């Protein structure tokens, strides 16, 4: 049924492509914001800090390398203004948030005073549940700062998240990762002393020059650290600059592993993480807590075939989902700040509505590995596709649920895209066509 992995992993759906605020569906979305919220939903508040100490070679995110406190301050002031603007919108006034996520980039680059101002503004302008899950993302060196950790703990922040990617120091240097392994271990120790409930780290496999034995070594080292949860990704090469691929051709840069090694490495990760006592809670996430985080549940529709959970986005390049529309803010920080200073909402791109809103739950159900049968839409196309998944061994049915098999878990990006409504699939296919012109696809490595 599948021979090659879809090169795009989608975290927001429906897909965003409409950019004219004077024309539907963009204009319809703006009217929604000025209208009362029609029904209660579970909600996530996402705030983006687009700055990093260094840019890792593999990074696919919209980040800037800046070391200028005045640049951070101008951006924070813009965030505070956007928070106030959003808080006055009738639709947002009807939202109550179950989770708050500071993402990046590296929010830990901000001063503690700037972070305090953002926490205070969020609480002042939005209805956030008293026991909401607050997550603060950063880079390990910044999260070693006792003053920052003590402030976050005092505010009820439950989760910290930072990247390790690999314990292999030479590979870390090759990937231009700023922090050291010791920074990561120190951040973990200090956070545990302060009682954070969930210390989460990012790890990667299928990295340049990496072997199965190297992945084994990473997993062994990971097992000694006792992190509460791990986001374990396979590395995508689309974000890497052309110079790295030229280096691979010349032999001056480690080559990516053969394509057949990606699933083998993924199977090794899944097996070893289970042996280390982690539950495979969602697509790429392993956690000691079998429930996983609220962040991913809400980001992907509410979980297990649910589609209604919403995300409010704050900051440059932040993305959200409100009342059936997926949307994105202006990508680059400087134009974002200029829009805010002019008193304009920084929404840059909006999706169309789905023909059936329940399709969003279906598209994201593979990330949770299962969905109740009564959440599956009864349209013929969806039913035929899911029946085929079962017949081909990618899924099974039992106890009132449709569940992915281990075979199916290896093909989540493909299954997700095959569940898209036809107009959304056309947008996806056009994006993939653009990616296929990327230098990484024009060379044989």
């Amino acid at each position: 049924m599948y021979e090659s992995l879809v090169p795009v992993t989608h975290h927001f759906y429906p897909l965003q492509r409409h950019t004219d605020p004077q024309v539907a569906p963009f204009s319809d979305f703006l009217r929604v914001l000025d209208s009362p919220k029609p029904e209660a939903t579970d909600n996530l508040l996402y705030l983006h800090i687009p700055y990093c100490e260094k840019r890792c070679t593999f990074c696919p995110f919209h980040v800037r390398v800046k070391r200028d406190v005045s640049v951070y301050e101008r951006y924070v002031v813009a965030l505070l203004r956007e928070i106030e603007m959003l808080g006055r919108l009738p639709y947002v006034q009807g939202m109550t948030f179950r989770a708050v996520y500071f993402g990046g980039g590296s929010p830990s680059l901000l001063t503690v005073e700037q972070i305090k101002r953002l926490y205070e503004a969020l609480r002042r302008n939005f209805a956030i549940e008293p026991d909401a899950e607050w997550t603060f993302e950063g880079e390990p060196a910044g999260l070693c700062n006792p003053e920052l950790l003590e402030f976050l703990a005092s505010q009820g922040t439950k989760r910290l998240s930072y990247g390790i990617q690999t314990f292999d120091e030479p590979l870390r240097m090759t990937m231009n990762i700023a922090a050291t392994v010791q920074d990561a271990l120190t951040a973990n120790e200090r956070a545990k002393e302060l009682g954070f409930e969930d210390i989460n780290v990012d790890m990667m496999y299928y990295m340049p020059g990496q072997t199965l034995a190297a992945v084994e070594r990473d997993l062994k080292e990971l097992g000694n650290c006792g992190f509460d949860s791990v986001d374990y990704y396979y590395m995508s090469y689309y974000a890497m600059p052309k110079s790295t691929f030229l280096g691979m051709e010349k032999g001056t840069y480690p080559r990516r592993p053969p394509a057949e090694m990606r699933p083998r490495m993924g199977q090794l990760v899944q097996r070893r993480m289970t042996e280390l006592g982690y539950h495979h809670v969602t697509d790429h996430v392993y956690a000691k807590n079998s429930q996983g985080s609220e962040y991913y549940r809400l980001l992907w529709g509410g979980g297990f075939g649910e589609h209604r959970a919403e995300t409010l986005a704050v900051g440059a390049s932040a993305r959200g989902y409100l009342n059936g529309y997926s949307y994105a803010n202006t990508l680059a920080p400087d134009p974002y700040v200029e829009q805010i200073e002019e008193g304009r909402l920084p929404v840059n791109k909006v999706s169309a509505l789905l023909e059936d809103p329940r399709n969003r739950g279906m598209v994201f159900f593979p990330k949770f590995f299962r969905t109740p049968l009564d959440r599956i839409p009864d349209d013929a196309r969806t039913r035929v596709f899911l029946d085929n998944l079962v017949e081909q061994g990618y899924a099974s049915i039992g106890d009132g649920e449709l569940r992915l098999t281990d075979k199916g878990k290896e093909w989540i990006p493909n299954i997700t895209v095959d569940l898209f409504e036809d107009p959304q699939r056309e947008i996806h296919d056009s994006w993939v066509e653009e990616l296929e012109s990327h230098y990484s696809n024009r060379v044989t490595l």
Side-chain angles (χ1 to χ4, degrees), residues 166-173 181 214 217-218:
T166 177
F167 291 95
D168 184 327
E169 289 288 12
L171 183 53
R172 293 173 64 82
M173 292 180 64
V181 170
R217 289 193 294 271
D218 270 349

Side-chain angles (χ1 to χ4, degrees), residues 331-353:
L331 297 182
D334 288 345
Y336 160 82
V337 170
E338 291 166 5
Q339 286 178 284
I340 295 296
E341 290 175 344
E342 293 168 0
R344 295 186 289 135
L345 283 175
V347 179
N348 179 60
K349 190 179 296 186
V350 172
S351 74
L353 293 174

